[in-house]
């Protein structure tokens, strides 16, 4: 998703998550092992990634679609197989984490130092993230740059935000797509099972502007099919546009 919290806000939230003034929060996205299995058990999560749900609604399936009209169900669902991405403490689902590691290795071989900026986020973490942007920008603009709690595909453990160590000024910004690393990602992500979830010119379908850093794992065969169909997940999978929330 386009916006994560700035470093100062993340430091403050670390204190909040430790119990300083708010109820205890869910598992931090930076701690893949802590609490993930118990959270998943309480939410009925599957222990392995289902290849297809047929309805694109099962959060445990690789073909799940989460957007402004398709929330995660149940809202507090959490994966049970989170694994840290290579070179980071931030986790993805096991299959996606393996693919991310392969992509990072290939990028490094092509002289691009990609970094992991965001990966899995719990429902509770998204409550705080979205609340921050509402306070900063107002609700209408926050809805353009940050998903509401329960509507973030980061909660599925299949969404991965990447950056370029050589151009940190373009982290989580559209200019990432203009960097050499960003162009490499656009050209090669599908080979490793990822698609650019929010491509340019598709905001009326996806609900979000161009996010060249935001990758979504679907598996290599399906990524090739999505790209062949124009690169927009909703369109490729026959789902209606989701430009905004119902209310």
């Amino acid at each position: 998703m386009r916006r994560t919290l700035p470093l100062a806000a993340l430091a403050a939230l670390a204190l909040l998550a430790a119990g300083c003034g708010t109820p205890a929060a869910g598992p931090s996205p930076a701690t893949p092992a802590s609490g993930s299995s118990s959270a998943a058990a309480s939410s009925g999560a599957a222990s392995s990634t289902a290849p297809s749900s047929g309805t694109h609604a099962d959060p445990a399936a690789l073909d799940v679609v989460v957007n402004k009209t398709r929330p995660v169900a149940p809202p507090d669902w959490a994966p049970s197989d989170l694994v840290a991405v290579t070179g980071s403490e931030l986790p993805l689902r096991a299959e996606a984490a393996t693919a991310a590691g392969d992509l990072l290795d290939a990028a490094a071989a092509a002289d691009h130092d990609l970094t992991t900026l965001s990966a899995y986020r719990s429902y509770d973490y998204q409550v705080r993230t979205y609340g921050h942007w509402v306070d900063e920008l107002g609700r209408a603009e926050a809805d353009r740059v940050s998903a509401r709690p329960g509507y973030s595909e980061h909660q599925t453990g299949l969404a991965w935000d990447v950056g370029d160590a050589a151009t940190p000024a373009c982290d989580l910004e559209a200019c990432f797509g203009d960097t050499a690393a960003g162009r490499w990602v656009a050209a090669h992500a599908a080979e490793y099972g990822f698609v650019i979830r929010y491509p340019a010119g598709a905001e009326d379908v996806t609900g979000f502007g161009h996010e060249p850093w935001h990758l979504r794992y679907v598996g290599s065969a399906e990524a090739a099919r999505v790209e062949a169909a124009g690169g927009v997940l909703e369109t490729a999978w026959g789902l209606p546009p989701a430009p905004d929330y119902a209310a």
Side-chain angles (χ1 to χ4, degrees):
M1 196 56 54
R2 177 170 187 173
R3 301 291 182 186
T4 55
L5 292 177
L7 292 178
L10 284 171
L13 287 179
L15 293 176
L16 295 178
C20 301
T22 64
S28 164
T31 53
S34 176
S36 61
S37 294
S38 60
S42 66
S43 304
S47 60
S48 61
T49 306
S52 175
S53 66
T55 64
H56 305 288
D58 180 0
L62 287 183
D63 71 348
V64 65
V65 173
V66 176
N67 59 30
K68 291 181 176 180
T69 64
R70 300 174 62 90
V72 177
D76 64 345
W77 185 87
S80 62
D81 60 341
L82 293 171
V83 175
V85 176
T86 301
S88 169
E89 294 183 350
L90 301 178
L92 292 171
R93 300 287 301 273
E95 183 177 336
T98 297
D102 291 343
L103 185 150
L104 290 172
D105 288 345
D111 295 324
H112 302 300
D113 188 6
L114 294 179
T115 58
T116 295
L117 301 177
S118 185
Y120 165 72
R121 298 182 204 161
S122 70
Y123 177 90
D124 288 340
Y125 186 88
Q126 194 67 23
V127 168
R128 301 191 297 276
T129 299
Y130 179 74
H132 167 82
W133 291 113
V134 170
D135 291 344
E136 287 285 315
L137 305 173
R139 187 176 177 89
E141 184 61 21
D143 279 343
R144 293 193 66 250
V145 300
S146 181
R148 294 180 185 178
Y151 291 83
S152 172
E153 69 173 10
H154 278 285
Q155 190 177 336
T156 69
L158 299 172
W160 181 37
D161 292 344
V162 299
D164 176 18
T167 57
C170 287
D171 285 355
L172 305 178
E173 298 292 344
C175 61
F176 173 74
D178 298 324
T179 67
R183 291 191 295 271
W184 186 93
V185 168
H188 296 283
E191 298 167 22
Y192 301 91
F194 291 92
V195 296
I196 295 175
R197 179 64 177 93
Y198 305 116
E203 185 171 357
D204 58 340
V205 176
T206 66
F208 291 97
H210 185 206
E211 297 189 1
W213 64 87
H214 181 114
L215 305 181
R216 162 62 198 275
Y217 185 73
V218 296
S220 56
E222 199 58 42
R225 285 193 285 270
V226 171
E227 282 210 335
V232 181
L233 213 56
E234 285 84 355
T235 303
W237 286 349
L239 298 173
D244 206 349
Y245 298 101

